[in-house]
């Protein structure tokens, strides 16, 4: 296999760490981009730091000159943009920062590729949050979202990602760049950030057990338990990103399991698997409800199944067990 070079942004995050592993195993040189931090946040990639093909580079998406220089210097075969302000709740509190990183930052990359490395294939991390409160309906009444579903985002995060998604489309059609977007539904893993609901639940369970099930242990505070999400495993989803850039032509794909579960179901199953009852430990906190909510997500991955040959390997139950470490 010929050696390729890929720039990956967001390597301190969940997906960036898994994708870096996959690319290194596939004989790539990975230009691993991270923004400066005053504290060490490399724990998800510690095991990669001694690999000579994993080249750590300082890079902030919001700084155009740095983005251009990185692209010009490495002229990579592939560029995976996984960096983002990725928390939907935070996007209501920091809408301008979210837009700066998630939309203007992506425009910086597109401009950099256009001017300095037009052969580079770009993967942009789009999201099911772009569908917001919209869905399509099958004849039997089943609701789903796929590539044809109209997008109606419900958060500054979703709006910023949709603007970036549209920007990618313009650069693809207007400048003939190989640029595509994966419309990924929620995906989790043991490396998921602690302020996303799945990891918040799993972390609480582990900490509670570690406390010796102390009666003084604080309750688990949660917001909307009725929301439905299509949850898959991050390892399956980074494989789909790579597959998209191995195609002859750039296309956007929905990546999802096709199954949906409520937050309540995730909570119940996680607690049940360690013989705990959520009713004894969970408190609903009105402050954790969002100003606008996405109530129902269920992706239809038929196009990715047929065109890429991609299928998820990890079930909902398998995901919970992997996160619990059991
Ligand atoms: P994550 O764990 O929150 O990681 C986000 C990464 O972006 C971190 O490495 C973060 O660095 C970096 N970053 C933030 N602002 C930056 C900036 N200005 N310049 C450079 N780097 C910056 O997110 P993830 O779950 O891996 O998701 C990866 C991508 O997929 C994101 O774009 C997310 O929006 C999108 N997405 C995720 C899901 C999902 O369910 N996980 C679904 C659809 C789409 P720090 O460590 O310094 O904060
Ligand atoms: O919320 C509800 C919350 O923050 C899921 C990101 O990766 O996936 C993720 O966005 C649901 C929501 O993920 C709490 O209201 C209840 O309905 O885990 P989450 P998200 O908002 O779906 C998409 C696809 C992305 O692109 C994003 O980057 O759970 N919920 N109680 C709670 N959520 C949180 N965070 N915390 C709670 O206490």
């Amino acid at each position: 296999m010929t050696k390729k070079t890929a720039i990956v942004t967001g390597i301190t995050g969940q997906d960036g760490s898994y994708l870096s592993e996959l690319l290194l195993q596939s004989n790539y040189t990975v230009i691993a981009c991270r923004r400066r931090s005053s504290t060490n946040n490399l724990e998800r990639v510690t095991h990669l730091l001694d690999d000579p093909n994993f080249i750590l580079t300082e890079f902030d998406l919001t700084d155009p000159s740095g983005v251009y220089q990185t692209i010009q210097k490495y002229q990579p075969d592939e560029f995976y943009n996984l960096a983002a302000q990725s928390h939907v709740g935070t996007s209501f509190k920091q809408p301008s920062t979210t837009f700066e990183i998630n939309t203007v930052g992506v425009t910086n990359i597109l401009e950099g590729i256009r001017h300095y490395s037009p052969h580079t294939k770009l993967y942009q991390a789009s999201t099911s949050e772009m569908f917001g409160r919209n869905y399509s309906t099958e004849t039997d009444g089943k609701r789903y979202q796929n590539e044809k579903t109209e997008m109606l985002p419900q958060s500054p995060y979703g709006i910023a990602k949709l603007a970036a998604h549209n920007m990618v489309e313009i650069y693809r059609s207007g400048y003939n760049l190989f640029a595509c977007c994966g419309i990924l539904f929620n995906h989790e893993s043991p490396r998921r950030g602690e302020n996303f609901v799945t990891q918040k639940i799993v972390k609480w369970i582990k900490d509670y057990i570690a406390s010796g099930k102390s009666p003084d242990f604080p309750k688990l505070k949660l917001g909307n338990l009725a929301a439905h999400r299509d949850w898959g495993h991050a390892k399956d989803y980074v494989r789909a990103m790579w597959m998209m850039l191995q195609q002859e032509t750039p296309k956007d794909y929905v990546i999802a399991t096709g199954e949906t579960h409520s937050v309540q179901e995730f909570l119940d199953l996680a607690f049940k698997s360690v013989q705990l009852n959520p009713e004894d430990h969970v408190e609903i906190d009105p402050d954790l409800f969002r100003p606008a909510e996405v109530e129902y997500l269920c992706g239809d991955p038929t196009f990715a199944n047929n065109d890429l040959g991609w299928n998820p390997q990890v079930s909902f139950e398998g995901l919970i067990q992997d996160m619990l470490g059991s």
Side-chain angles (χ1 to χ4, degrees):
M1 209 190 289
T2 52
K3 196 159 186 68
K4 287 186 183 174
T5 299
I7 291 181
V8 181
T9 69
I11 55 106
T12 58
Q14 172 186 256
D15 291 5
S17 63
Y18 283 121
L19 180 68
S20 295
E21 278 171 14
L22 183 145
L23 294 175
L24 290 169
Q25 283 157 15
S26 311
N27 196 31
Y28 280 65
T29 299
V30 174
I31 312 303
C33 295
R34 64 180 295 228
R35 60 177 166 176
R36 190 210 163 254
S37 168
S38 58
T39 53
N40 179 16
N41 63 353
L42 289 170
E43 57 281 343
R44 292 186 178 94
V45 290
T46 310
H47 58 298
L48 305 178
L49 295 176
D50 289 336
D51 189 323
N53 292 314
F54 187 73
I55 299 171
L56 261 191
T57 309
E58 202 171 292
F59 170 104
D60 194 306
L61 213 49
T62 60
D63 181 69
S65 67
V67 173
Y68 299 165
Q69 281 170 39
T70 307
I71 292 169
Q72 195 170 22
K73 178 172 175 188
Y74 292 104
Q75 314 243 330
D77 299 289
E78 296 167 13
F79 190 126
Y80 296 86
N81 179 38
L82 309 182
Q85 191 303 92
S86 69
H87 198 271
V88 175
T90 297
S91 79
F92 286 98
K93 295 174 185 144
Q94 300 180 18
S96 301
T97 304
T98 301
F99 207 80
E100 190 64 33
I101 299 172
N102 295 6
T103 308
V104 180
V106 178
T107 312
N108 292 338
I109 293 171
L110 287 163
E111 277 293 284
I113 291 178
R114 174 163 95 88
H115 289 294
Y116 302 112
S117 189
H119 75 280
T120 297
K121 292 179 166 185
L122 174 67
Y123 172 86
Q124 163 59 14
S126 286
T127 165
S128 51
E129 280 295 302
M130 301 186 310
F131 294 116
R133 61 189 160 84
N134 203 27
Y135 50 80
S136 306
T137 313
E138 278 174 12
T139 41
D140 64 3
K142 184 179 187 274
R143 295 175 290 161
Y144 66 92
Q145 290 94 2
N146 69 11
E147 293 81 2
K148 296 193 176 84
T149 307
E150 193 193 334
M151 294 175 179
L152 282 174
Q154 293 299 299
S155 65
Y157 171 80
I159 290 167
K161 283 282 188 177
L162 179 54
H165 183 85
N166 289 337
M167 198 68 87
V168 169
E169 159 60 25
I170 291 296
Y171 276 69
R172 179 168 63 210
S173 57
Y175 300 118
N176 209 20
L177 297 185
F178 190 114
C180 59
C181 300
I183 307 170
L184 270 54
F185 283 60
N186 297 54
H187 47 281
E188 323 289 310
S189 72
R191 296 186 197 166
R192 185 57 145 153
E194 288 177 6
N195 56 3
F196 297 95
V197 76
T198 55
Q199 189 70 300
K200 187 173 168 182
I201 292 168
V202 166
K203 182 176 184 306
W204 186 92
I205 291 174
K206 288 181 180 170
D207 291 348
Y208 176 64
I209 292 172
S211 79
K213 301 189 180 176
S214 162
D216 300 327
F217 198 77
K219 292 214 181 250
L220 170 59
K221 290 188 179 179
L222 292 173
N224 182 12
L225 302 185
H228 279 70
R229 291 291 181 271
D230 178 329
W231 277 295
H233 197 294
K235 274 193 177 177
D236 281 335
Y237 287 44
V238 300
R239 196 173 67 252
M241 298 173 188
W242 176 79
M243 290 172 107
M244 285 180 216
L245 293 200
Q246 311 316 307
Q247 302 307 300
E248 287 294 313
T249 48
K251 290 172 234 165
D252 299 337
Y253 296 86
V254 159
I255 301 298
T257 69
E259 250 185 55
T260 189
H261 299 273
S262 65
V263 177
Q264 180 79 59
E265 283 175 77
F266 188 101
L267 179 71
D268 289 345
L269 202 52
F271 269 66
K272 199 171 131 201
S273 65
V274 289
Q275 288 83 48
L276 290 174
N277 181 358
E279 284 174 23
D280 299 333
H281 302 286
V282 174
E283 192 175 294
I284 299 302
D285 180 350
D287 285 345
L288 291 169
F289 282 71
R290 295 170 182 174
E293 176 65 282
V294 170
E295 290 292 350
Y296 181 88
L297 290 173
C298 182
D300 164 20
T302 306
F303 183 51
N305 296 161
N306 294 341
D307 204 60
L308 296 176
W310 177 85
N311 280 297
Q313 306 293 314
V314 183
S315 66
F316 181 62
E317 293 76 13
L319 170 67
I320 295 178
Q321 291 319 314
D322 191 34
M323 291 184 77
L324 281 167
S326 48

